[in-house]
Amino acid sequence: LRSLTSLNLSHNSLTEVGVIANMSSLITLDLSHNNVVTVAALTSLSVLTSLFMESNSLSKIPVLFGRLSALRNLRLSGNRVSHFPKVVATCLTNLELLDLSSNGVSVGVDLAISSLKSLSLDSNPLLFFPSRIVTVTTLTTLSLPFAHLTLLPASLGSLRALRVLDLRHNRLVSLPPSLQNCKELAFLFLAHNQFDSLPHWFYRLRSLVRLDLQNNLLSQVSLAIRQLSKLLSLSLAHNRFTELPLPLGNLPLTLEVLELHGNPVTHPLLSSLAESNATHSDPLSHTRTSAPATIEATISQLE
């Protein structure tokens, strides 16, 4: 099987994969959903570009893993990895996507991989934002939900190519002003944090297409939100609004989805609609309740 280029052994009960070491032509290997405990045998696969190892029993990444210098796509979610060796990160010079979500990665992890475009560290006990990540200026997608974060680095805005930033389910109360330098940011997920206001500079993020602020402590939104002229989806659900945050006519004209459920709104909806009528002939045309398929499709393309 030396000429085999793609192999899918997912959803089995494998515990070791030594026999694969001789399949030197493999480009894509899927071992997800097994019980594999080590990947040492795979370090001889010098042309491997995609490795799927989700939901196994890995606890360690061997230093020799750095030999897989052709890797572009590495998925390790749902394992028990607590450390990613710096020497390995340095050697993986072609890696574009790294998924380490749902592992045991903690503070001190160094993932400064210069070629990286997508990084997922969801559901890891990070506590602190991995500082070296801000040096990876190629990043377009950064996912850090459930990471126990309370503070973001002042230099976060160095990631100027960022298109998708997911910070849901943390303990954040503020955003660094440098974030306004991320002019390409289109998808921003801040749900389930502790924001009680948005800074004035926030409305300079004019490439935003989707903004998720549900389950925070917001009670008002600035009229400047109209400057987000590409915004299609806005979620303000489960905050502290006692009345509609703005007359609907002051929302971005592009808005297709508006979520306000779960707020203690007492202000009559009809009065807000009346104010909106002064600007729009159909004030409800931008408040559909289902998410446009184009948003999810765009995220998939970015990933």
Side-chain angles (χ1 to χ4, degrees):
L1 296 178
R2 290 178 181 270
S3 60
L4 200 66
T5 59
S6 181
L7 177 62
N8 188 339
L9 290 170
S10 62
H11 295 275
N12 283 289
S13 300
L14 300 174
T15 57
E16 63 88 23
V17 290
V19 67
I20 297 176
N22 295 320
M23 300 180 184
S24 57
S25 297
L26 276 180
I27 295 175
T28 301
L29 176 60
D30 190 344
L31 292 168
S32 60
H33 299 276
N34 280 284
N35 295 308
V36 178
V37 296
T38 178
V39 289
L42 305 181
T43 59
S44 62
L45 305 179
S46 59
V47 297
L48 193 67
T49 61
S50 295
L51 177 59
F52 301 86
M53 290 292 302
E54 301 102 316
S55 300
N56 275 278
S57 300
L58 301 177
S59 59
K60 185 178 181 180
I61 302 297
V63 171
L64 290 179
F65 202 73
R67 291 180 177 176
L68 301 179
S69 58
L71 267 183
R72 294 182 179 275
N73 185 349
L74 177 57
R75 298 178 185 265
L76 297 169
S77 64
N79 282 278
R80 297 188 289 236
V81 176
S82 60
H83 178 63
F84 199 91
K86 181 178 180 179
V87 63
V88 174
T90 302
C91 293
L92 299 180
T93 54
N94 290 299
L95 194 64
E96 295 181 353
L97 184 150
L98 175 60
D99 186 353
L100 279 168
S101 56
S102 299
N103 275 277
V105 178
S106 59
V107 64
V109 63
D110 188 342
L111 296 171
I113 302 171
S114 60
S115 55
L116 209 56
K117 293 182 179 179
S118 178
L119 174 62
S120 296
L121 287 168
D122 314 20
S123 303
N124 281 285
L126 293 177
L127 298 180
F128 299 99
F129 189 97
S131 58
R132 291 270 290 160
I133 289 178
V134 297
T135 67
V136 186
T137 56
T138 53
L139 266 184
T140 61
T141 300
L142 178 58
S143 185
L144 290 165
F146 294 100
H148 306 279
L149 300 177
T150 58
L151 188 67
L152 299 173
S155 54
L156 183 60
S158 299
L159 302 176
R160 300 196 176 198
L162 209 58
R163 298 290 309 278
V164 180
L165 178 58
D166 191 347
L167 295 167
R168 292 170 297 156
H169 293 277
N170 282 288
R171 302 167 190 166
L172 300 170
V173 299
S174 64
L175 297 168
S178 67
L179 187 63
Q180 64 187 296
N181 296 329
C182 299
K183 305 296 186 184
E184 303 300 317
L185 190 61
F187 301 90
L188 180 56
F189 302 94
L190 298 173
H192 295 273
N193 278 282
Q194 298 173 22
F195 296 102
D196 61 9
S197 63
L198 297 175
H200 65 89
W201 55 261
F202 184 86
Y203 304 100
R204 296 174 188 161
L205 297 172
R206 293 174 187 167
S207 292
L208 282 179
V209 171
R210 181 172 180 182
L211 175 58
D212 185 355
L213 286 162
Q214 64 180 304
N215 288 91
N216 277 281
L217 306 174
L218 298 170
S219 60
Q220 60 181 357
V221 174
S222 169
L223 288 170
I225 195 170
R226 192 178 175 88
Q227 297 175 22
L228 303 181
S229 57
K230 296 182 180 179
L231 197 64
L232 296 178
S233 176
L234 172 63
S235 180
L236 298 170
H238 298 286
N239 275 277
R240 295 185 175 180
F241 296 103
T242 57
E243 59 182 24
L244 291 182
L246 291 171
L248 298 184
N250 289 320
L251 291 170
L253 299 178
T254 52
L255 200 63
E256 296 182 351
V257 177
L258 175 61
E259 297 181 340
L260 284 166
H261 57 277
N263 282 284
V265 174
T266 57
H267 185 72
L269 175 62
L270 290 178
S271 64
S272 185
L273 293 180
E275 294 179 58
S276 177
N277 271 328
T279 308
H280 302 299
S281 58
D282 182 7
L284 292 178
S285 63
H286 299 296
T287 57
R288 294 200 295 266
T289 56
S290 59
T294 53
I295 293 178
E296 301 305 329
T298 303
I299 292 179
S300 298
Q301 291 173 2
L302 288 171
E303 292 178 344

